[in-house]
Amino acid sequence: MDSLRSKENLNQFESIFGKTNQPPRLFQAPARINIIGEHVDYLGGTVLPAAIDFFVQVLLRPNESQNYRLHSVSYNETVELKKPLSPNSKSPWVDYIAGVIFEIEKKGHVVPGFDLIVDGNIPQGSGLSSSAAFEVVTGYAIKETFGFSLSREEIALIGQKAENNFVGTKCGIMDQFIIAVGKKDDCISLNTETLKYSYHHFDLGNYEFYLINSNVKHSLKDSAYNKRRSECESALVKIKAKYPNFTQLYDVKLSDSEIEQCHLTKEETKRTKHVTSERERTKVVIENLESGNFKEVGSALFQTHWSLSKEFEVSCPEIDFIVDSLQSLGVTGARMIGGGFGGCVLVLDTKDHFSKIEEVLKKSYQQKFNVAIDFYKFQISDGVKEVLI
């Protein structure tokens, strides 16, 4: 986000909450992409995310009270929170802040009252994790402002718990984690069971990643996201009854006939097939990104998309149309990203191909769905941080 917008938000902060001798501090957290490893981060799987240069920003200042005065620029709404904290059905955006405060206090800290204003340029419902960025930037701003001893990894876990326990979406750890620890020009491979991770440097040469927003909005909380998770959990219970050594669905290595003997439902079988095949594709992508074999990377991205569409059933006609069109146009690779049911497609292709793709796809998508699509170029960015105003 540009410095002009940050300064406008500072002026708005002071007009809403007043000016004091102590100016508010500005913090920002990025959006994220995930190159490979979709719908496995709550199943102990390995994921390959990166932080990108779309942001949620908060200005925060202690207010010498026990209450929290909050303003959203996007919703043009000011809300005051008092303890005990409880979900706010009228202003659900407040729950992300309340959930983070609640989880920080569960760790033994007392969070004093503060004033906060939030703004951002991450398209909501796009699958780029605006909610996780909001949680992480709130946690980090509270930690820095009040001097709490919390690591970036702990801030990520606090954000995830806020979403799981307070907001009600049973998300995995990936989004909050990469937003907390991201590094410019690097992605990370993260083992979501052990939380061990390593950085991988990006050098795409003549290739580039970019995003296409279908402008089909989704809400993970109200979608089938939680249902998919429960189907994976019930599949594991049945598999463990016969093969007790498996602790995560992601680790299951069984033949089709062995899976059949576990008496999974049709849905559980399909979910298991996606998760275990995604494990193998992730290995292929990490190996070929490092060696610069982008055609192999692209092929794995397409395979992941159709697995998410047919086996995990979290795509939608608009997203499938975009990926199918890109495949027909000779793009190197593409797949839906995020929780599903709308949002963005991640594209890997040569830089000189972009203008042709943009022109053809904008026209065909508008004709078929009567909706415009947006193309986003991005840079791999740092994780959450304080910004000097």
Side-chain angles (χ1 to χ4, degrees):
M1 289 172 66
D2 59 58
S3 58
L4 177 63
R5 187 158 164 183
S6 300
K7 283 173 181 166
E8 286 171 356
N9 287 335
L10 174 60
N11 291 336
Q12 192 171 2
F13 184 99
E14 290 177 341
S15 72
I16 293 168
F17 302 123
K19 202 168 183 175
T20 69
N21 292 331
Q22 183 181 11
R25 293 165 68 178
L26 176 64
F27 301 88
Q28 74 177 23
R32 68 94 189 91
I33 57 164
N34 182 29
I35 298 168
I36 197 84
E38 203 67 85
H39 277 282
V40 300
D41 66 324
Y42 48 84
L43 302 168
T46 296
V47 292
L48 200 70
I52 63 171
D53 58 343
F54 290 81
F55 300 101
V56 172
Q57 288 190 341
V58 301
L59 285 152
L60 188 147
R61 181 183 69 194
N63 65 16
E64 312 304 325
S65 82
Q66 295 305 307
N67 300 334
Y68 309 100
R69 299 188 298 177
L70 316 170
H71 179 81
S72 164
V73 173
S74 301
Y75 294 109
N76 191 26
E77 181 180 31
T78 306
V79 176
E80 185 164 3
L81 273 187
K82 297 181 180 180
K83 291 178 181 173
L85 301 173
S86 59
N88 189 324
S89 57
K90 288 185 181 175
S91 305
W93 63 271
V94 172
D95 289 349
Y96 295 97
I97 302 170
V100 167
I101 296 167
F102 186 77
E103 293 298 334
I104 289 175
E105 294 205 327
K106 270 169 68 176
K107 294 181 79 70
H109 302 284
V110 177
V111 181
F114 58 76
D115 299 332
L116 177 148
I117 191 169
V118 58
D119 189 18
N121 62 3
I122 304 174
Q124 289 188 14
S126 61
L128 302 181
S129 278
S130 56
S131 60
F134 190 13
E135 292 151 6
V136 170
V137 75
T138 300
Y140 188 79
I142 291 169
K143 169 238 186 202
E144 288 291 301
T145 300
F146 298 109
F148 297 150
S149 178
L150 295 166
S151 68
R152 287 175 175 268
E153 292 83 357
E154 285 176 299
I155 292 290
L157 287 162
I158 283 165
Q160 182 201 15
K161 286 176 182 171
E163 188 142 351
N164 289 174
N165 302 333
F166 211 91
V167 178
T169 301
K170 300 299 180 188
C171 67
I173 186 58
M174 176 186 70
D175 297 350
Q176 291 85 355
F177 206 92
I178 183 60
I179 289 164
V181 307
K183 198 161 78 170
K184 186 171 167 51
D185 297 327
D186 285 17
C187 63
I188 66 168
S189 57
L190 168 68
N191 180 317
T192 57
E193 183 171 27
T194 64
L195 298 189
K196 288 184 177 173
Y197 65 99
S198 55
Y199 290 97
H200 299 263
H201 195 65
F202 262 82
D203 186 8
L204 292 172
N206 295 324
Y207 287 80
E208 65 179 348
F209 281 112
Y210 61 87
L211 293 160
I212 302 174
N213 190 349
S214 67
N215 286 314
V216 177
K217 303 298 181 197
H218 66 196
S219 168
L220 295 187
K221 190 178 172 185
D222 300 323
S223 72
Y225 183 97
N226 290 346
K227 186 167 185 285
R228 293 294 177 278
R229 183 165 184 164
S230 67
E231 287 165 345
C232 290
E233 288 165 354
S234 59
L236 179 62
V237 168
K238 291 179 183 178
I239 290 167
K240 281 180 75 170
K242 194 163 179 61
Y243 302 97
N245 289 340
F246 294 120
T247 57
Q248 294 279 9
L249 192 64
Y250 190 79
D251 298 326
V252 169
K253 293 176 183 174
L254 297 171
S255 66
D256 289 349
S257 61
E258 287 171 326
I259 289 278
E260 219 171 279
Q261 291 168 25
C262 298
H263 305 295
L264 306 187
T265 65
K266 182 183 172 187
E267 288 74 21
E268 289 166 347
T269 302
K270 291 170 84 169
R271 309 308 176 238
T272 301
K273 187 175 179 183
H274 165 71
V275 170
T276 54
S277 62
E278 188 74 342
R279 177 187 66 223
E280 301 310 313
R281 286 187 291 270
T282 299
K283 291 175 188 171
V284 167
V285 168
I286 291 173
E287 185 182 311
N288 287 285
L289 263 183
E290 289 183 343
S291 65
N293 188 344
F294 299 116
K295 289 192 174 176
E296 285 296 319
V297 174
S299 174
L301 296 184
F302 279 129
Q303 289 168 36
T304 283
H305 177 77
W306 295 117
S307 178
L308 286 163
S309 177
K310 310 299 182 195
E311 306 296 349
F312 220 72
E313 298 179 286
V314 289
S315 189
C316 62
E318 295 89 346
I319 293 283
D320 284 349
F321 176 84
I322 292 171
V323 174
D324 190 44
S325 300
L326 291 168
Q327 212 158 0
S328 302
L329 289 163
V331 159
T332 306
R335 71 174 191 85
M336 58 152 279
I337 61 169
F341 316 104
C344 282
V345 170
L346 176 69
V347 186
L348 172 66
D349 203 12
T350 53
K351 291 175 181 174
D352 59 3
H353 206 189
F354 177 79
S355 56
K356 178 193 171 189
I357 298 297
E358 184 183 32
E359 184 184 345
V360 172
L361 201 52
K362 274 186 173 176
K363 188 176 178 184
S364 62
Y365 190 81
Q366 179 78 46
Q367 284 175 341
K368 184 162 181 68
F369 298 106
N370 198 28
V371 177
I373 51 173
D374 295 311
F375 288 72
Y376 304 143
K377 295 288 189 93
F378 60 81
Q379 301 294 320
I380 305 300
S381 86
D382 287 324
V384 65
K385 62 183 180 182
E386 183 169 6
V387 180
L388 296 177
I389 305 173

